[in-house]
Amino acid sequence: MSLRFHEIAESRHRILNPLTDDKLRLLGEICGFTPGTRILDLACGKGELLSRWATEYAIEGVGVDISKVFLDAARNRAEELSVADRVEFVEADASTYMDVPESYDVVSCIGATWIGGGLQGTLSLMRRSLRPGGIVLVGDCYWTSPPPPEALAALQIGADEFTSLLGTADRAEEAGFELLEMVLADLDSWDRYMAPQWWAVSDWLRDNPDDPDVPAMRDFLAHSRRSHLEYGRDYLGWGVFVLRPLPTDENSS
């Protein structure tokens, strides 16, 4: 799915993941941020996480994304919430973005573990910006039950790309992190993420009949609806996992 397809499909979203407003609020409550907490959000999308938490907790943050469309929306949202002085949005590739090492209290990557080639690689990227004693917030999919081959084919996901919920915790531990907490999507969260995309794409197809991407977007719409209804709701889970680096001696054992 190209960046343009994401920008079209997610045009109705503020949060570009199956994370509802209530669950975003819950995640902030769980983490207990204090004024001045510094957060780096990799692949930040429209920056709702940073802007909302800057409003609610007076955090400071930097969001990184490659999409000009999403970053424009993020900056507009920060202005709307009067927190543009607390959050900054940078156009860059989150997989290669470098800041001052160990300069953030929290590093987040919510639903974009592709930046590190999967959960463990992404955790490695996130660690380099994390202060000692800091936490990471990583959003990723997991299998709610073992998917049959036809589900993998329909969802276009490799069998080993994700694992069970317990397997996700194990992968995090293998990468040197302890699972502290989690906020999981439910079926309604998934539907609130997926279904608005269908309406957005349908409107785009109606309004742009001569665009060269019309055939591919039409195929995307049909596939997205069918795969979610037939398999996604039954097998694919998603959550934000709150992690902390294991002590060095435990990590090296």
Side-chain angles (χ1 to χ4, degrees):
M1 187 174 174
S2 72
L3 178 59
R4 188 187 188 210
F5 281 23
H6 276 289
E7 292 168 346
I8 293 169
E10 295 175 319
S11 61
R12 292 171 173 256
H13 292 65
R14 278 185 174 162
I15 304 172
L16 310 187
N17 289 288
L19 188 70
T20 61
D21 287 339
D22 287 344
K23 289 183 183 292
L24 179 60
R25 186 176 300 110
L26 174 60
L27 182 61
E29 292 172 0
I30 286 170
C31 293
F33 301 121
T34 56
T37 297
R38 283 178 48 79
I39 301 178
L40 173 64
D41 190 16
L42 298 173
C44 67
K46 296 181 182 179
E48 187 72 5
L49 178 151
L50 287 178
S51 289
R52 287 270 292 277
W53 288 348
T55 303
E56 296 169 7
Y57 302 104
I59 63 93
E60 301 171 0
V62 174
V64 180
D65 206 278
I66 59 173
S67 169
K68 293 182 174 67
V69 172
F70 291 162
L71 290 173
D72 285 345
R75 295 181 183 112
N76 289 338
R77 181 63 165 157
E79 291 285 353
E80 177 187 344
L81 295 178
S82 301
V83 293
D85 59 331
R86 296 180 189 158
V87 295
E88 175 187 1
F89 295 102
V90 178
E91 183 183 343
D93 185 340
S95 67
T96 57
Y97 179 77
M98 293 292 293
D99 205 331
V100 178
E102 299 185 353
S103 58
Y104 290 91
D105 304 297
V106 181
V107 180
S108 59
C109 179
I110 309 298
T113 55
W114 49 264
I115 68 171
L119 175 63
Q120 291 167 308
T122 300
L123 289 173
S124 179
L125 293 178
M126 299 169 78
R127 182 191 289 272
R128 64 193 182 192
S129 299
L130 191 66
R131 285 177 177 165
I135 60 172
V136 304
L137 311 176
V138 61
D140 207 12
C141 292
Y142 63 92
W143 297 119
T144 57
S145 59
E150 56 269 26
L152 294 172
L155 296 168
Q156 299 178 337
I157 298 173
D160 296 328
E161 186 170 345
F162 304 121
T163 182
S164 66
L165 190 56
L166 177 59
T168 300
D170 289 342
R171 286 184 177 182
E173 186 170 351
E174 289 167 5
F177 287 83
E178 175 189 10
L179 175 63
L180 300 178
E181 252 277 20
M182 60 187 185
V183 175
L184 302 182
D186 54 23
L187 289 180
D188 182 64
S189 306
W190 264 120
D191 291 343
R192 291 302 84 232
Y193 176 60
M194 297 298 298
Q197 296 186 41
W198 308 335
W199 196 328
V201 174
S202 179
D203 280 357
W204 182 89
L205 290 169
R206 179 198 61 195
D207 297 338
N208 299 273
D210 299 323
D211 192 284
D213 281 334
V214 161
M217 285 298 292
R218 188 178 292 115
D219 289 345
F220 162 76
L221 175 59
H223 179 268
S224 174
R225 276 194 297 234
R226 178 165 292 277
S227 63
H228 176 66
L229 296 175
E230 189 171 13
Y231 295 112
R233 296 179 98 252
D234 290 336
Y235 295 102
L236 199 58
W238 188 89
V240 179
F241 303 96
V242 183
L243 309 172
R244 181 169 57 199
L246 290 165
T248 303
D249 56 347
E250 186 175 349
N251 186 22
S252 61
S253 62

